[in-house]
Each structure stands twice: as C-alpha cells, then as structure tokens.
Amino acid sequence: MKFLVRERVFDIGDDFWVTDEQGNRVYLVDGKAMRLRTTFELRTPDGTELMTIRKKLFKVRDQMRIERDGDTVATVRKRLVNPLRDKLLVDVADGPDWEVTGDFLGKEFVIGDEHGTVAVVSRKWFRVRDTYAVDVNTHRGDIGGDPALVISVAVAVDALTGDEGGEEDED
C-alpha cells in the first residue's frame, strides 16, 4: 500500500496530509509549534490521535520516540559512528527491531527487519513537488504491516536527517 507524504519544507508548526494512491486523505501529520522539542502527532482525518512522535532531549545521539496511547511503541535513533553507509535503528517494542538504510536526504531508503522489507520510501515513484512515497508491506501480518507506525517512522527519519534534524550546515 503506497502513501504520499509531503516533505517538511516549512516551519515545524506546519501540518500536512498523507494521502493514499487515489488522493484520499488518510493521515494528518500535525506539527506542534512552540514546543521545547520537535513534536508531531499522527491523526486520522476525523482528528483522532494515533501516534505522537517526539524528539528525545539530552541524549548522546539524536532520537525520536513514537508513542501510542502514552506507551512507547518505537524509538528511532541515529548511529554514533556511520563509517560505511547512512543507517538508523528503530527499536520496536512489540516486534523485531528495524534498520533504516539508504539516502535520507534524497528520500530513497528501505525500512527492514530480520524477516525482510517493512517499507520502501522513494521520491521517484511520484513526480509531485516536495513529496515522497512510502510503500508499506501490509501483507506481513505483524507490526511491520502497521501503516500508522511505518508513516510515523518515516516522519521521524525525515525530522532526524533533514536540515532541522539537528545536523549543522557545512558551509
């Protein structure tokens, strides 16, 4: 199942819709402005909160926690040393941990675990400006097939690896 996500190209307080392949609004990513730390809420079209995605403060490496009903369901974290390739780790509470590898700035990466591909994120599938697609493997039948969790991980990866994700400009 493919979803279309608009990149975070504006301020942190901006909201944006995640749509399906037919253009139907499936999730709202609600960026929370005026917070001490980067925070997003993933909501249904009727406003029901599904997930909260927030940056953890005062950690050695950048991390974002994904919560459902106040419980942490996953933590996305950068590796301390990144010698060979771009890689993030996702500690999943109720399943095998995930690994995210690829070109994060170019929005071309794969989310996978010991059982295979959980999702593929790619800018090339859709030629819409400032968007990328998330193709979720919903046939897995485990937590890896949970589109809300996968979209939340993609938003966390975008926040951790984008210009606002804590990396310094190298001018």
Side-chain angles (χ1 to χ4, degrees), residues 65-113:
R65 184 175 57 230
I66 300 169
E67 300 171 350
R68 178 182 288 146
D69 298 325
D71 296 323
T72 299
V73 294
T75 302
V76 181
R77 59 187 166 88
K78 289 183 176 183
R79 288 178 32 160
L80 279 175
V81 179
N82 220 356
L84 299 176
R85 63 182 176 167
D86 288 335
K87 180 177 175 179
L88 291 129
L89 302 175
V90 183
D91 299 322
V92 180
D94 293 330
D97 292 343
W98 299 348
E99 183 176 276
V100 185
T101 57
D103 176 8
F104 300 125
L105 293 177
K107 303 294 182 285
E108 299 288 335
F109 56 89
V110 175
I111 303 169
D113 65 13

Side-chain angles (χ1 to χ4, degrees), residues 107-139:
K107 303 294 182 285
E108 299 288 335
F109 56 89
V110 175
I111 303 169
D113 65 13
E114 62 192 25
H115 302 293
T117 300
V118 172
V120 176
V121 176
S122 180
R123 180 179 277 160
K124 68 182 176 182
W125 287 329
F126 293 99
R127 296 292 180 206
V128 180
R129 186 171 181 250
D130 300 329
T131 58
Y132 57 92
V134 179
D135 189 5
V136 180
N137 185 356
T138 56
H139 302 292

